[in-house]
Amino acid sequence: MRRKRTATSAALVTGALAVTGLAFAPTAAAVTPQSATITASCGIFGGGAATLTAAQSGTSATITLTSSAITAPVAVAKDSITSTLTLAKAGGGSVVFSGKINPAMNTGDPVSVGPLPGTVASGDRLDAYGGSLKMVIFGVTVTCTASGPQSPGPFVFD
């Protein structure tokens, strides 16, 4: 009988902890899709496929851009590229994600910037098409634009 009571008590404690964990877990807003691809042109610096990855927590959101088709024109140190990613908002306007966040990259390495922070509202539908990515590297501005809508579609924020 004692064994049965101990097992029951352990199950109740485990269940209570699980419920408590759910009650105190941070609410994570969902952005869909979480990842989208674009074809970008960066002028004389190249172009090709790039992936945008989005995350959201309330009205705060981040976007990371990576591309193996677009490469670093020179070696850059970690957090040395000033990036401004402007996404077009359905219905007009835009939302800006900006920061100085990047991994260290050698000449020819795939470009990666972010996660760049920005502010979104519930229901925002954002697309790279109609926006741009401006990166300032050692005083040189590199501007990339999407040649068409992102796939599978715009980011929709909760």
Side-chain angles (χ1 to χ4, degrees):
M1 186 70 165
R2 187 173 189 179
R3 244 188 216 159
K4 187 175 182 181
R5 216 178 336 183
T6 303
T8 302
S9 295
L12 287 173
V13 168
T14 301
L17 288 174
V19 169
T20 302
L22 288 174
F24 289 108
T27 57
V31 56
T32 54
Q34 291 180 330
S35 179
T37 58
I38 60 169
T39 299
S41 173
C42 301
I44 63 170
F45 298 100
T51 300
L52 298 167
T53 305
Q56 179 186 7
S57 178
T59 60
S60 297
T62 60
I63 305 283
T64 301
L65 179 137
T66 57
S67 174
S68 57
I70 304 166
T71 58
V74 295
V76 293
K78 181 179 192 250
D79 299 336
S80 64
I81 300 174
T82 301
S83 301
T84 305
L85 175 64
T86 304
L87 297 181
K89 195 176 194 181
S94 60
V95 175
V96 175
F97 296 83
S98 62
K100 205 169 187 178
I101 306 165
N102 63 274
M105 292 175 268
N106 291 315
T107 303
D109 280 356
V111 166
S112 180
V113 294
L116 302 173
T119 303
V120 296
S122 180
D124 276 355
R125 297 175 63 86
L126 306 179
D127 198 309
Y129 187 55
S132 66
L133 170 65
K134 290 184 182 176
M135 298 175 285
V136 179
I137 307 166
F138 302 122
V140 175
T141 301
V142 176
T143 302
C144 301
T145 57
S147 61
Q150 64 192 43
S151 179
F155 293 116
V156 180
F157 294 88
D158 277 351

